[in-house]
Amino acid sequence: MKLKSNIAVSDSGFLFDPTTGDSYTLNETGKVILEMLKEGKSEKEIISEFTEKYDVDEGTFEQNLYDFLRMLSHYNLTEI
Amino acid sequence: MEKLKYERPVINKINAGTPDKFGMNTRVKVIDEIDGVKVSELLKKYGSPLYVISEKTVRDNYKDAYRAFSNRYPKVQFAWSYKTNYLDAVCRIFHDEGSWAEVVSGFEYDKALSNGIPGGQIIFNGPDKSDEDLLKAIDNSSFIHIDHFDELYSIIRLTKNTNKKAKVAIRVNMDTGIYPQWDRFGFNYENGEAWNAINRIMLADNIDLVGLHTHIGTYIMTPQPYYVAASKLSELAVRTHKKYDHAIKYIDMGGGFASKNTLKGAYLPGKDTCPSFDDYADAITNAILNSEIKPDNLPVLFLETGRALIDDAGYLLGTVLANKRLANARRATIIDIGVNLLFTSFWYQHEIYPAKECSNVTEDTTIYGPLCMNIDIIRDAVQFPVLQKGDHVVIPRIGAYNMTQWLQFITLRPNVVLIDNDKNVNIIREKETLEAFKNLEKIPGHLNGK
Ligand SMILES: Cc1ncc(COP(=O)(O)O)c(C=O)c1O
C-alpha cells in the first residue's frame, strides 16, 4: 500500500491532507506506521520491525495493521 | 532489550466546526478495582461476565437517604422495593439497615417473609394480588395498598367472615406537572376517584384505612413534583380526618428518585443533573409539614426508594470478544455483556470503562453485546479507548433492575458476587448451569424415545 506523496505528518501525530484540507490525529503506533509507509516499507517489513520492537505478537499486530490500513484507504490517504 | 509498550494503531479524523466535547486528550477513566478488590482478579476467579455489588455503597447510600429525611422529619420508614433488586443478600443488607419490604407479587411477598421480615413490615403494592395473597396479607397484618375498586371489593368480600381487620392504604395517582402522568395505577386524585375510594373504605366494617400511597413515576429529575404529590396526599389526609375524625397513620411517597445514570437522549450527564436526597427530602417534608395536618397527627413518612439506593452499588464486568469495522468503516467492539444482562441499556447511556490503564486515545465506537440480534447494543456511539480482544471492561451503576429483569436468553446468567465491608468476595448467586435449567423442562413420552 502506498501513501499519497503530498501527505504531511507532524512529530506530534497530526496528519494533513493538502488535497482535501482534512486533518487527522494519530496515536504513537499509528504515527510510526505512517512513517514506515512514507519510507516505502512493505507490510511484511512493517510487521517484522514492529513485532521486534514492540510488545505485541504477530497475529495481533497483523490484524491491527490491516484494520489501520483499511482506515487510511477509507480516508483516501493512499494511492489507488 | 525491553520491548516498547504497544497500543493498537489509530487514526481519527478531526471534524472542524463540530467541537468534540471529548477531544483527543481527555483522560480515559479506568476502573481497575472495586472497593479495593482488583477487577482482573474478580474476573479470573469468578468468570466473565460478572455482576459485582458493593455492600459498602449500599449501606452508605441508605444512610445518606435516611439522614436526609430523618433530619427534616420526625418519623421516617424506608421499605426496600424488592423488584429493584431482590437478591436475598441485597434485601438483607437493607433490612439490616432498618428497611421494611415493599413487594408487588405473591412471589416477592414470600421472598420477604423468607428473609425474616415480619408480615407487619411488608407493604404490598401492585395490581396483581390473588385472593390467596390478600388473605395471607390480612392474616399477617401487612399493609395492603389497594390499586383498583375490584381489589377493594375483593377485600370487602374476604373480610366479611373474618374477625381480622385488613390494614389498607389506597394508591393515588395525580397530576404533579410531570409527563407522562402515571394514571394506570391506583385511584385518580383530580377526578375524585381517590376520595370515592376513601369513602367506600371508611364505610366498610373490617377495613382500616391506615395510609395513603403514591408512586408518581420513576427517574423523576426534579423535586418539585414530589412537593405537589405530598401536598395532595396531605390534603386527602386532612379531609378524611375532618369528615371521619380518623387520622391517617402514614403517607407513602413511593420511589422514583433519579440515580446518577444518564438517560438516552439526555444532553447532560446524570451525575450533573440528578437531585440529591436532600433536595427530594426538602420537597416532601416541607409539603407535609406545611399542610393542614395537625402536629399531633403527623403521619409516618414511608419511602420505597429503589434505583437511587442500589444503582451505583452494582457493576457489570466483562471482556472484549472482538473488534471489527462496520460497512461504513466505523469501529465496532463486541463484548460478552448483552442486553439480556443489561436490560437498563434500553433506557440509559451506560458508562463503560477499561479495567486497566490505557492511553488517552479513543475511537468513536459502537459497543455490541454477544447476542445474535440486531437490538443487542450496549452503546450506539461512545468515545472508547483502543482495547483488544481479551481486555476487560467495567460498566458501573447497574445495581437497579438488571438483576431482576435479566433474561435467560441465548446464554446462562453469570455469577453475582458481593464485596463486603471487610473486602471479602462472596458469591450471592451462582452462575446458572445447564442441568438446573433443564431440570424445569419435561419431555413428553413420545419424544423421549432414544
Ligand atoms: C410502587 C413502587 N414503589 C417503588 C418503586 C421503586 O421505584 P424507583 O426504583 O424508581 O425508586 C416502584 C418501581 O417501579 C414502584 O412501582
Side-chain angles (χ1 to χ4, degrees):
Chain A
M1 175 169 292
K2 224 168 131 354
L3 216 54
K4 278 202 222 153
S5 56
N6 58 354
I7 282 187
V9 184
S10 80
D11 284 345
S12 53
F14 278 95
L15 184 151
F16 182 66
D17 179 356
T19 327
T20 59
D22 286 332
S23 316
Y24 302 83
T25 55
L26 297 155
N27 64 350
E28 180 60 27
T29 47
K31 198 181 81 189
V32 174
I33 293 173
L34 230 84
E35 280 159 2
M36 290 176 165
L37 287 171
K38 273 181 101 65
E39 288 163 19
K41 291 194 169 132
S42 72
E43 280 137 39
K44 237 174 132 180
E45 284 170 311
I46 296 176
I47 292 170
S48 87
E49 271 192 42
F50 241 86
T51 45
E52 206 164 288
K53 242 168 78 191
Y54 285 88
D55 184 19
V56 61
D57 65 88
E58 198 174 314
T60 305
F61 181 68
E62 187 178 317
Q63 257 192 54
N64 292 168
L65 176 65
Y66 284 114
D67 177 72
F68 182 73
L69 295 179
R70 178 165 163 220
M71 289 313 287
L72 296 184
S73 73
H74 173 76
Y75 290 135
N76 289 318
L77 300 172
T78 53
E79 305 268 354
I80 304 156
Chain B
M1 191 185 77
E2 192 162 344
K3 292 201 168 183
L4 296 174
K5 195 164 175 288
Y6 175 77
E7 177 179 78
R8 179 155 64 73
V10 175
I11 178 166
N12 282 318
K13 189 168 177 174
I14 299 172
N15 292 316
T18 48
D20 183 352
K21 69 175 164 170
F22 301 101
M24 276 291 278
N25 290 319
T26 26
R27 270 195 74 74
V28 168
K29 187 178 154 181
V30 171
I31 299 183
D32 57 356
E33 57 172 46
I34 298 167
D35 290 358
V37 183
K38 285 253 170 280
V39 166
S40 55
E41 275 160 32
L42 286 167
L43 285 166
K44 200 160 136 200
K45 185 142 185 218
Y46 300 99
S48 178
L50 177 70
Y51 290 95
V52 179
I53 295 170
S54 154
E55 178 167 356
K56 180 177 182 310
T57 309
V58 176
R59 291 189 187 270
D60 287 351
N61 285 349
Y62 179 85
K63 288 190 172 83
D64 187 30
Y66 187 78
R67 173 203 52 75
F69 281 89
S70 60
N71 277 351
R72 293 173 167 82
Y73 196 81
K75 297 183 262 183
V76 176
Q77 179 62 56
F78 278 82
W80 175 238
S81 157
Y82 262 50
K83 74 176 91 50
T84 308
N85 188 319
Y86 45 56
L87 293 175
D88 286 339
V90 169
C91 297
R92 283 169 190 243
I93 299 171
F94 282 108
H95 298 328
D96 189 50
E97 289 290 336
S99 254
W100 292 7
E102 183 268 330
V103 304
V104 293
S105 68
F107 159 71
E108 288 188 358
Y109 187 96
D110 291 342
K111 220 164 189 289
L113 286 180
S114 79
N115 280 324
I117 285 295
Q121 295 184 4
I122 300 178
I123 293 168
F124 200 166
N125 277 316
D128 174 16
K129 307 180 191 86
S130 66
D131 280 2
E132 196 190 357
D133 293 336
L134 288 170
L135 282 171
K136 197 190 292 185
I138 294 164
D139 211 39
N140 289 333
S141 302
S142 303
F143 298 96
I144 303 170
H145 288 187
I146 303 174
D147 185 74
H148 42 70
F149 277 109
D150 280 318
E151 183 179 347
L152 172 54
Y153 280 90
S154 293
I155 296 172
I156 290 173
R157 171 171 50 79
L158 292 169
T159 49
K160 265 224 167 85
N161 307 318
T162 57
N163 48 10
K164 195 131 194 185
K165 276 199 156 194
K167 289 198 289 181
V168 307
I170 56 161
R171 175 157 175 178
V172 182
N173 69 64
M174 61 187 81
D175 181 8
T176 57
I178 52 167
Y179 180 84
Q181 185 183 334
W182 281 26
D183 63 357
R184 56 174 283 191
F185 302 107
F187 303 91
N188 186 250
Y189 174 84
E190 283 80 18
N191 71 7
E193 261 217 333
W195 183 237
N196 285 348
I198 289 173
N199 283 299
R200 183 65 195 87
I201 293 169
M202 293 308 296
L203 292 176
D205 288 334
N206 283 331
I207 305 184
D208 190 9
L209 181 70
V210 286
L212 296 170
H213 172 232
T214 190
H215 171 73
I216 59 176
T218 193
Y219 203 94
I220 308 296
M221 287 157 76
T222 58
Q224 177 62 17
Y226 283 99
Y227 186 91
V228 176
S231 301
K232 288 183 175 176
L233 289 190
S234 300
E235 190 274 334
L236 283 176
V238 169
R239 242 204 284 176
T240 308
H241 195 221
K242 256 194 198 137
K243 179 164 175 186
Y244 295 101
D245 195 25
H246 174 85
I248 295 293
K249 295 205 177 65
Y250 67 85
I251 282 182
D252 181 345
M253 293 303 298
F257 303 156
S259 74
K260 296 188 183 67
N261 268 312
T262 306
L263 287 181
K264 281 194 165 170
Y267 183 68
L268 292 169
K271 279 183 289 218
D272 300 340
T273 55
C274 152
S276 65
F277 288 124
D278 287 288
D279 298 332
Y280 291 116
D282 251 346
I284 291 171
T285 59
N286 280 339
I288 302 175
L289 293 169
N290 295 345
S291 76
E292 300 285 310
I293 297 178
K294 297 218 165 66
D296 288 350
N297 294 332
L298 217 52
V300 180
L301 172 59
F302 281 16
L303 294 150
E304 303 167 351
T305 310
R307 74 173 76 240
L309 289 177
I310 188 76
D311 228 4
D312 61 2
Y315 299 79
L316 195 42
L317 319 187
T319 305
V320 173
L321 298 177
N323 281 310
K324 64 203 285 185
R325 292 276 170 201
L326 303 178
N328 62 1
R330 199 183 154 73
R331 159 69 61 212
T333 293
I334 306 170
I335 59 175
D336 61 356
I337 297 167
V339 293
N340 54 332
L341 301 182
L342 193 63
F343 195 84
T344 50
S345 55
F346 292 125
W347 320 325
Y348 288 146
Q349 285 175 42
H350 277 291
E351 291 164 32
I352 174 162
Y353 299 109
K356 66 163 197 253
E357 210 57 58
C358 50
S359 84
N360 295 329
V361 177
T362 57
E363 275 181 296
D364 192 13
T365 306
T366 301
I367 299 184
Y368 293 110
L371 308 177
C372 288
M373 283 182 72
N374 224 12
I375 59 160
D376 192 25
I377 300 170
I378 299 299
R379 284 296 301 269
D380 279 320
V382 59
Q383 286 295 324
F384 200 61
V386 290
L387 300 189
Q388 299 270 29
K389 174 181 165 61
D391 284 345
H392 297 147
V393 296
V394 178
I395 304 179
R397 281 195 211 100
I398 56 86
Y401 297 103
N402 286 305
M403 280 157 258
T404 47
Q405 297 193 57
W406 48 11
L407 307 170
Q408 190 282 306
F409 179 59
I410 297 186
T411 58
L412 296 167
R413 283 167 283 215
N415 281 321
V416 183
V417 298
L418 177 82
I419 303 178
D420 65 27
N421 285 358
D422 299 323
K423 298 185 184 175
N424 297 316
V425 182
N426 314 265
I427 292 189
I428 59 169
R429 191 177 192 274
E430 300 245 21
K431 64 171 184 252
E432 292 170 341
T433 61
L434 180 62
E435 299 81 69
F437 187 65
K438 278 176 70 99
N439 269 344
L440 295 170
E441 295 191 39
K442 302 238 181 300
I443 298 171
H446 71 285
L447 297 175
N448 210 357
K450 286 166 207 123

